[in-house]
Amino acid sequence: MEKLLKDFDVEPKNPSVEAQRRWRSAVTIVKNRRRRFRMVADLAKRSEAEKKRRGIQEKIRVALYVQKAALQFIDAGGPPEYKLSDEIREAGFGIDPEELASIVRGHDIKRLKLHGGVQGIASKVLVSLDEGICTEDPSSKSSISIRQRIYGFNRFTEKPARSFLTFVWEALQDLTLIILMVCAVVSIGVGIGTEGWPKGMYDGLGILVSVFLVVMVTAISDYKQSLQFRDLDREKKKVLVQVTRDGKREKVSIYDLVIGDVVHLSIGDLVPADGLFITGYSLLVDESSLSGESEPVNVYEEKPFLLSGTKVQDGSGKMLVTMVGMRTEWGKLMETLGEGGEDETPLQVKLNGVATIIGKIGLGFAVLTFMVLVVRFLVEKALKHELTSWSSTDALTLVDYFAIAVTIVVVAVPEGLPLAVTLSLAFAMKKLMNDWALVRHLSACETMGSASCICTDKTGTLTTNHMVVDKIWFTGKATDMKGAEGKDILKADTSEKVVAILLQAILLNTSSEVVKDKNGKQSILGTPTESALLEFGLLLGGDFAAHHRDTKTLKVEPFSSVRKKMSVLVARPDGGARAFCKGASEIVLGMCDKIVDKDGNFASMSEEQVKNMTHVINGFAREALRTLCLAFKDVDDTSGNIPDKGYTLITIVGIKDPVRPGVKEAVKTCLAAGITVRMVTGDNIHTAMAIARECGILTEGGIAIDGPDFRGKSLEEKKEIIPRIQVMARSLPLDKHTLVTILRKELNEVVAVTGDGTNDAPALKEADIGLAMGIAGTEVAKESADVIIMNDNFTTIVNVAKWGRAVYINIQKFVQFQLTVNVVALVIDFVSACISGSAPLTAVQLLWVNMIMDTLGALALATEPPKDELMDRRPVGRGTSFITRAMWRNIVGQSIYQLVVLGALDFYGKSLLGLNGSDATAVLDTVIFNTFVFCQVFNEINSRDIEKINVFRGIFSSWIFLLIIVSTVVFQAILVEFLGTFASTVPLSWQLWVLCVLLGSLSLPLGALIKCFPVGQDAPKPQDGHEHRDGYQPLPSGPELA
């Protein structure tokens, strides 16, 4: 089968256009193209959208980079005039929306100055740059609703949701159903002419009713899926932005931003609207998403323009929102982003291949069956010398034969296979969303089931991210900071001058902020590490507002994962400036040559003292504390750069961040599942090792390595050491990217990687599955990820892996079930047509069987929740055959049993059951149909587990499965007992009912017996020549699996 599917192979992430075109052209037999390819990328639309997007980008590029010539041209002709409408005047605003949009869009600095600069624009949109928008009085002229009415909403044009009727119409596009409806109409016409009203219309009406049922069930299933995807899409677009309103800093939804909002920007943020720079430090913006230019742009007072959709690469700042929604260039680009749909997943593609191969076989069987039936019919007429005389009854017989052949195609082409993947993924994604995991790309959910390695961050993922200062080394001694006692000891032993310097270092060199809510309650906004330090500063009696009010900040270097430190330069009251620096202990310690004592004197740092400091840092780290050094330096030059040496060490801080509950168990689960967990952190190696041991990541024989050591090794050395690396400390984003690349491309691992910073984006894109943190993660990291872990918890990552495995195995169950039905339906109809000249299953009956095995079968088997034992087996490797030997064993075994039972009934049923009389044939045909359906019902239960004997385990936790089984049995009883006129059945005695159910149920013990036959394991083709290093053996097969 794998050889036949060679054209149906695509990469799970960013597949090439060639591969996508190749498999599409290989799909030749499709009953309903619109439905089959609904969840598949439209390459033509995507290409069109790409051209449109490039056109918009070119316009923006011209506006940004050819603006001088354009402005000179505009000046020559005079600036365009904008008149204020009465509505704008009445609201109190002093600038037209189009003029406001054109200033930022065209980077028109002259026009901005004509309006009085940023301050002038702020006064014209009725906002204070310090206080932000006033929302406390909703009746005021500048209320949010009035701003939205005049200047627009921060929303982009979206495609209208598809109605239920659209899905009904789509389901009706099935070519075979259309042919059947035509056959049904012809059958009704001919039937009424020969058998009269109403008897002559029953056969045709039965087909029409069956088609209607198939269409409705299909449409309902597809519509529910679309609702699930709509919910997920809505969740993906939720972005919170920090703004100042009513003088207080708060978070609001990106959709609630209005003109005049004062927005706070920091590294990794997406610029949420067009706007103007107010204040900030070293603000560097990546405009490539808009202009296509890769060079980042510095934004400052003289060049204050910020465009929606761009990304903050470095620095921080505040901006005034000047335009939102569709008036921004990003809004126009957003219209093109969704065009063409999402890339199809590897399983969808593979199952399209399976459906195509089986479809070809089914079509061949259908043509053969039709030809055999027609030839037999003609031979019988010739033997009776009636070849020249034809009646309407003969025409009706041929129409019936044709309807049977078409229905065989309906059953034989497993259209539901690729669609079952979508159904299963939609179900899994919805459940994962409830479990704090937002899947952004369909294929990620599927690929996560094959993950063999997880490279995870430490802070916030393995730990709680609730940080507190636990220990502090200050003026020569370490102090435990346990509540107020630690504070009192610290203050008692130290001069006020030194405490003042410490408070300055904490309160001035921070990206966090102390804010008050509407009730006056004080809280801290910022990263957990910053917040812990700031909280410590407040505990020591520091006044955040007073320090910032009395001190002028000259320059800021924000923390980044590359620098691993944050620095600030502030003006001193007596002239000159003071630089403060904090960050990774060994880096900041290396920048210091002096130390402060308890009396506030600065002494040179000896080699012995450096050793002592290093010993203190390592001691803190071994207690699993995150260590930071704080230092300062006085300089005379207030305009120069922040110095990078000659600092005086103030303190070493140890911050406690406890391991999350459940992480140790989750790591244990991963190891049992054959998934290697590696910690990749920017923290000190001793801290990292202590946490890794506590989590169960660092084990005997495992290696912990520093980022610089790793970078210094050759590729061959890295390949040699990586399989044993369990902890990488003091790593740069580049180290994480290198590690992921080697694991994937050299060691053939399926790698999941977590990330939260802007610099993690390359590693998140490179990994098979990029996992961004929902709380600590920047918008840039989230945009680059496949899955967002909304609670930043490692246990959630393990849950995603479990659901990924469930999706894969659920689809395998469904494929096993459907292929068994296909084989039996095709063979029994063909053999019966060849031998007896009639098919035992009518068109209506086959349509009902198709519904059982297609839509209902997919719902029952593809939506089963994951079982815990899924994490007791190794991940499915690259290149492993999807249809395994165990599946073929079950398919062949069940097919043989069903064919033997149905064949015996078809050819010897009357004598075996003692049937005689005028209705003997009708009773036998009903028994065959009923037995066939019950064989499928019990085989569906059998398919709940491919390898284990106990198929009833957990059945009551899968209510969808139970509901579908019960519904199928109930409707089958109604069909046989009460709808015989349409379904060509007759009511059966209770003895025959018992027989049908018994024959069907025998597939359960038979299934258990079949599973006792060992078939070996499907191993992936070795691509690296190495055994899997985790030491896990293939699962045994046989009765011990029960």
Side-chain angles (χ1 to χ4, degrees):
M1 180 66 88
E2 289 302 311
K3 287 178 184 174
L4 296 172
L5 293 172
K6 65 180 186 297
D7 289 331
F8 296 89
D9 200 18
V10 295
E11 283 293 311
K13 207 166 176 180
N14 307 319
S16 67
V17 176
E18 292 74 22
Q20 289 176 311
R21 287 207 176 104
R22 186 176 65 240
W23 82 259
R24 281 164 175 76
S25 60
V27 176
T28 49
I29 296 179
V30 183
K31 295 188 293 183
N32 187 342
R33 190 163 284 275
R34 278 180 70 169
R35 182 169 181 254
R36 172 85 81 89
F37 294 116
R38 189 180 67 244
M39 294 302 293
V40 166
D42 187 325
L43 298 180
K45 266 191 184 177
R46 193 179 272 186
S47 176
E48 244 176 75
E50 185 58 33
K51 281 181 190 170
K52 191 177 173 185
R53 190 156 52 248
R54 281 182 185 155
I56 295 169
Q57 282 183 331
E58 184 58 27
K59 276 171 63 184
I60 296 166
R61 198 186 68 77
V62 168
L64 298 182
Y65 298 98
V66 197
Q67 53 184 286
K68 285 184 183 174
L71 287 172
Q72 282 169 5
F73 177 76
I74 288 167
D75 287 345
E81 286 202 18
Y82 296 95
K83 290 184 179 177
L84 292 181
S85 67
D86 293 337
E87 186 185 23
I88 295 170
R89 279 202 186 89
E90 282 170 25
F93 297 113
I95 189 165
D96 181 80
E98 287 305 320
E99 183 173 12
L100 197 51
S102 71
I103 289 171
V104 178
R105 194 187 302 137
H107 285 36
D108 193 341
I109 195 79
K110 276 190 179 178
R111 188 171 280 272
L112 177 64
K113 285 178 179 174
L114 282 174
H115 284 284
V118 178
Q119 187 64 58
I121 294 288
S123 63
K124 288 186 179 184
V125 294
L126 308 179
V127 69
S128 158
L129 293 178
D130 295 321
E131 299 291 312
I133 289 171
C134 175
T135 62
E136 289 172 347
D137 181 11
S139 63
S140 72
K141 283 186 175 182
S142 65
S143 72
I144 286 172
S145 59
I146 292 171
R147 290 175 188 275
Q148 287 175 331
R149 192 179 76 240
I150 292 172
Y151 292 100
F153 291 81
N154 199 29
R155 290 180 182 274
F156 307 117
T157 305
E158 291 182 7
K159 287 182 183 175
R162 300 167 77 191
S163 67
F164 174 67
L165 289 176
T166 311
F167 288 97
V168 173
W169 175 248
E170 206 170 74
L172 277 167
Q173 304 301 305
D174 191 315
L175 183 62
T176 51
L177 293 184
I178 292 167
I179 295 169
L180 280 176
M181 286 189 282
V182 172
C183 289
V185 171
V186 172
S187 176
I188 289 170
V190 176
I192 291 171
T194 54
E195 298 178 38
W197 175 272
K199 193 180 177 186
M201 64 175 287
Y202 288 151
D203 286 349
L205 189 61
I207 293 174
L208 286 176
V209 169
S210 301
V211 168
F212 173 76
L213 271 174
V214 168
V215 166
M216 291 309 291
V217 169
T218 302
I220 290 166
S221 172
D222 291 350
Y223 180 61
K224 286 195 76 176
Q225 272 182 59
S226 79
L227 292 179
Q228 287 178 321
F229 282 120
R230 205 189 307 165
D231 288 345
L232 287 163
D233 203 43
R234 204 176 290 128
E235 199 66 36
K236 283 181 203 173
K237 291 173 181 172
K238 281 185 181 174
V239 177
L240 293 176
V241 181
Q242 288 202 11
V243 299
T244 296
R245 286 182 178 176
D246 304 313
K248 299 177 185 72
R249 192 158 157 179
E250 59 184 88
K251 287 183 180 179
V252 299
S253 165
I254 192 170
Y255 296 127
D256 295 333
L257 274 188
V258 291
I259 299 298
D261 258 324
V262 175
V263 175
H264 298 258
L265 298 172
S266 55
I267 295 177
D269 285 346
L270 284 176
V271 178
D274 284 1
L276 296 166
F277 175 86
I278 302 170
T279 59
Y281 305 99
S282 314
L283 193 61
L284 196 66
V285 176
D286 175 9
E287 294 184 343
S288 59
S289 56
L290 275 180
S291 64
E293 296 286 339
S294 57
E295 198 63 36
V297 175
N298 281 299
V299 179
Y300 48 95
E301 285 83 353
E302 299 305 312
K303 198 178 177 185
F305 305 106
L306 287 152
L307 295 174
S308 176
T310 56
K311 296 161 191 162
V312 179
Q313 197 165 307
D314 203 355
S316 60
K318 288 200 298 185
M319 69 171 264
L320 174 70
V321 174
T322 59
M323 199 44 61
V324 292
M326 291 308 296
R327 279 201 172 102
T328 66
E329 294 297 341
W330 182 247
K332 293 166 192 169
L333 265 180
M334 283 294 283
E335 272 190 298
T336 66
L337 289 181
E339 288 295 322
E342 191 174 344
D343 284 329
E344 54 275 14
T345 75
L347 260 186
Q348 282 175 321
V349 174
K350 194 151 276 190
L351 292 183
N352 264 297
V354 174
T356 301
I357 293 163
I358 295 166
K360 286 176 181 175
I361 296 166
L363 185 63
F365 267 90
V367 171
L368 273 174
T369 305
F370 180 67
M371 286 171 64
V372 168
L373 288 169
V374 171
V375 168
R376 279 190 65 107
F377 177 72
L378 292 173
V379 168
E380 283 176 10
K381 279 186 79 70
L383 291 172
K384 293 176 184 175
H385 305 290
E386 296 172 356
L387 205 55
T388 53
S389 61
W390 289 79
S391 65
S392 55
T393 308
D394 294 336
L396 194 61
T397 304
L398 289 174
V399 168
D400 283 345
Y401 288 165
F402 185 67
I404 287 166
V406 172
T407 314
I408 288 172
V409 176
V410 173
V411 176
V413 179
E415 202 89 322
L417 282 182
L419 298 169
V421 180
T422 312
L423 176 68
S424 188
L425 287 170
F427 182 77
M429 286 164 78
K430 183 78 175 171
K431 291 288 182 186
L432 281 169
M433 192 165 73
N434 296 334
D435 289 342
W436 300 98
L438 176 62
V439 180
R440 294 184 75 249
H441 300 131
L442 271 177
S443 59
C445 194
E446 190 181 290
T447 313
M448 193 65 194
S450 301
S452 58
C453 167
I454 298 173
C455 298
T456 176
D457 288 332
K458 175 184 75 69
T459 306
T461 309
L462 299 170
T463 60
T464 60
N465 224 9
H466 296 143
M467 300 194 190
V468 288
V469 174
D470 189 71
K471 269 191 172 182
I472 180 168
W473 181 93
F474 189 47
T475 62
K477 67 175 184 178
T479 308
D480 283 331
M481 296 306 299
K482 298 284 189 284
E485 290 176 21
K487 175 193 79 171
D488 294 338
I489 294 167
L490 196 72
K491 281 190 153 185
D493 293 351
T494 317
S495 72
E496 286 184 16
K497 180 185 173 185
V498 181
V499 173
I501 293 172
L502 173 62
L503 285 174
Q504 282 181 351
I506 291 171
L507 300 174
L508 295 177
N509 187 19
T510 181
S511 61
S512 289
E513 198 172 330
V514 179
V515 295
K516 288 183 180 177
D517 61 18
K518 291 175 183 176
N519 302 319
K521 190 181 175 185
Q522 196 166 266
S523 61
I524 298 170
L525 283 178
T527 64
T529 309
E530 293 264 29
S531 299
L533 266 180
L534 202 48
E535 201 173 317
F536 176 61
L538 298 176
L539 182 75
L540 290 176
D543 186 332
F544 181 84
H547 270 81
H548 280 266
R549 188 175 57 246
D550 301 339
T551 310
K552 185 184 178 186
T553 303
L554 303 172
K555 195 166 187 181
V556 176
E557 277 181 5
F559 179 85
S560 79
S561 52
V562 176
R563 285 190 289 264
K564 297 198 183 300
K565 62 186 176 71
M566 177 183 178
S567 305
V568 64
L569 190 68
V570 300
R572 290 205 320 266
D574 56 349
R578 176 168 282 177
F580 290 102
C581 179
K582 71 173 178 200
S585 302
E586 57 270 36
I587 291 172
V588 177
L589 183 63
M591 295 163 62
C592 296
D593 57 12
K594 288 189 274 300
I595 192 166
V596 65
D597 66 18
K598 64 178 181 178
D599 298 317
N601 300 316
F602 311 136
S604 293
M605 197 184 290
S606 64
E607 281 188 29
E608 186 64 33
Q609 283 175 313
V610 172
K611 282 181 186 175
N612 287 341
M613 295 302 96
T614 306
H615 182 70
V616 169
I617 290 165
N618 292 342
F620 280 14
R622 286 190 187 97
E623 293 177 42
L625 298 179
R626 188 172 208 184
T627 62
L628 293 175
C629 280
L630 276 66
F632 80 99
K633 181 181 182 180
D634 287 332
V635 292
D636 296 325
D637 186 9
T638 59
S639 59
N641 291 326
I642 299 174
D644 54 10
K645 60 182 178 179
Y647 280 82
T648 302
L649 180 68
I650 305 169
T651 184
I652 300 167
V653 177
I655 296 174
K656 192 170 185 63
D657 185 14
V659 171
R660 280 183 185 271
V663 163
K664 193 170 184 178
E665 292 74 19
V667 170
K668 197 175 177 183
T669 302
C670 283
L671 297 176
I675 303 170
T676 307
V677 182
R678 293 182 172 88
M679 179 199 286
V680 184
T681 178
D683 237 329
N684 180 295
I685 193 163
H686 297 291
T687 308
M689 286 169 69
I691 295 286
R693 283 197 187 95
E694 196 176 337
C695 294
I697 292 172
L698 187 58
T699 57
E700 198 176 333
I703 292 175
I705 191 170
D706 260 326
D709 291 347
F710 178 75
R711 286 194 293 280
K713 295 186 182 297
S714 67
L715 178 62
E716 287 307 313
E717 286 174 323
K718 285 174 183 170
K719 279 166 66 177
E720 187 66 34
I721 199 173
I722 278 175
R724 289 185 292 135
I725 289 178
Q726 293 174 340
V727 176
M728 189 186 289
R730 286 291 182 238
S731 67
L732 297 177
L734 180 65
D735 299 329
K736 190 186 279 189
H737 186 267
T738 305
L739 177 67
V740 170
T741 305
I742 294 172
L743 281 168
R744 283 188 74 237
K745 295 183 177 171
E746 303 292 336
L747 302 176
N748 202 39
E749 298 267 14
V750 179
V751 184
V753 65
T754 69
D756 51 19
T758 307
N759 294 319
D760 287 328
L764 290 169
K765 285 178 180 172
E766 175 65 30
D768 294 285
I769 313 101
L771 304 157
M773 299 297 108
I775 299 168
T778 62
E779 289 306 318
V780 172
K782 290 175 190 175
E783 237 192 18
S784 305
D786 305 297
V787 181
I788 297 172
I789 307 300
M790 294 189 287
N791 61 353
D792 290 15
N793 195 336
F794 185 79
T795 312
T796 305
I797 298 171
V798 179
N799 204 27
V800 176
K802 192 194 286 187
W803 269 102
R805 291 186 176 199
V807 166
Y808 190 87
I809 207 153
N810 283 349
I811 300 303
Q812 283 186 316
K813 294 176 198 173
F814 176 62
V815 169
Q816 177 184 295
F817 169 68
Q818 193 167 51
L819 292 188
T820 307
V821 186
N822 278 354
V823 169
V824 176
L826 286 179
V827 173
I828 198 72
D829 263 14
F830 176 69
V831 172
S832 182
C834 290
I835 296 171
S836 67
S838 65
L841 300 173
T842 66
V844 172
Q845 290 168 359
L846 280 171
L847 280 170
W848 168 233
V849 169
N850 180 63
M851 201 177 350
I852 292 172
M853 75 170 197
D854 201 326
T855 310
L856 295 179
L859 268 171
L861 291 167
T863 59
E864 284 229 271
K867 299 170 188 171
D868 288 338
E869 56 261 33
L870 280 176
M871 300 303 280
D872 292 336
R873 61 179 70 201
R874 278 176 56 176
V876 178
R878 298 185 202 271
T880 304
S881 174
F882 176 73
I883 303 178
T884 63
R885 293 176 191 172
M887 288 168 70
W888 282 122
R889 173 195 64 194
N890 298 343
I891 291 165
V892 171
Q894 290 291 342
S895 298
I896 290 170
Y897 167 71
Q898 290 184 27
L899 286 170
V900 168
V901 168
L902 295 172
L905 287 173
D906 194 21
F907 300 115
Y908 309 107
K910 286 182 185 177
S911 58
L912 286 172
L913 302 176
L915 298 174
N916 46 52
S918 57
D919 65 343
T921 303
V923 170
L924 180 60
D925 285 345
T926 305
V927 168
I928 291 170
F929 169 55
N930 211 25
T931 304
F932 180 67
V933 168
F934 275 100
C935 279
Q936 307 326 315
V937 168
F938 285 102
N939 190 36
E940 201 164 349
I941 296 169
N942 242 328
S943 299
R944 288 192 72 245
D945 205 302
I946 293 167
E947 293 181 351
K948 292 188 179 177
I949 291 169
N950 185 3
V951 292
F952 292 100
R953 187 174 176 189
I955 196 167
F956 292 107
S957 63
S958 182
W959 63 269
I960 296 176
F961 183 87
L962 285 174
L963 183 67
I964 285 168
I965 292 291
V966 171
S967 304
T968 305
V969 171
V970 169
F971 195 78
Q972 177 67 14
I974 293 168
L975 202 66
V976 170
E977 295 295 320
F978 305 107
L979 298 176
T981 312
F982 300 104
S984 307
T985 60
V986 293
L988 298 176
S989 65
W990 70 267
Q991 291 95 337
L992 289 176
W993 267 104
V994 169
L995 177 70
C996 295
V997 173
L998 187 66
L999 288 171
S1001 65
L1002 281 175
S1003 65
L1004 289 174
L1006 180 76
L1009 190 65
I1010 290 167
K1011 287 170 187 173
C1012 293
F1013 288 97
V1015 288
Q1017 293 290 315
D1018 296 84
K1021 294 166 192 170
Q1023 294 179 31
D1024 56 2
H1026 297 292
E1027 287 291 316
H1028 200 282
R1029 66 168 195 288
D1030 60 19
Y1032 282 83
Q1033 296 303 310
L1035 285 176
S1037 59
E1040 67 270 28
L1041 290 181

